[in-house]
Amino acid sequence: MADIFIERTHTLGLDQALDQVEALAYLLVDELDARCAWDGNRLDFTRPGASGCVEVTETLLILEVSLGFLLRPFKDRIEQSITEKLDSLVPCLPSV
């Protein structure tokens, strides 16, 4: 079960959303020394103490992160940082 789960609706379309998640992959590699690999429309990533994936569809982005024991106390801060990065890359639709 994921420690962090973010589901976001978008209007970017599949190709543009994949491009934005690719940009996120570069951030993960550069800033967190993560390893990333694509499996279709899903980006899997891992780094010491955390792993997860980002799944992309035409209108939806789903991010799941599992944290290791040492990172769990920082869950709220990590989730906030992830949300800020997603906000800059994939704007969410306003709530109805």
Side-chain angles (χ1 to χ4, degrees):
M1 179 175 213
D3 296 298
I4 298 172
F5 180 85
I6 299 171
E7 187 173 292
R8 176 169 289 187
T9 304
H10 65 83
T11 59
L12 298 174
L14 183 60
D15 290 338
Q16 190 175 0
L18 287 170
D19 288 344
Q20 295 303 81
V21 172
E22 180 74 17
L24 177 63
Y26 286 117
L27 288 172
L28 290 168
V29 169
D30 289 343
E31 294 180 12
L32 301 175
D33 197 27
R35 292 185 178 169
C36 299
W38 285 98
D39 181 9
N41 291 339
R42 187 181 77 216
L43 175 70
D44 295 314
F45 58 89
T46 186
R47 63 150 301 201
S51 63
C53 66
V54 182
E55 190 151 351
V56 182
T57 72
E58 187 77 29
T59 59
L60 193 63
L61 181 139
I62 300 168
L63 181 136
E64 297 181 47
V65 180
S66 295
L67 300 173
F69 180 73
L70 294 175
L71 290 179
R72 283 193 189 126
F74 305 102
K75 176 189 176 284
D76 291 340
R77 188 182 315 165
I78 294 168
E79 187 168 5
Q80 180 182 358
S81 179
I82 291 170
T83 299
E84 289 170 1
K85 294 287 185 198
L86 284 176
D87 286 345
S88 70
L89 294 171
V90 182
C92 62
L93 292 174
S95 300
V96 177

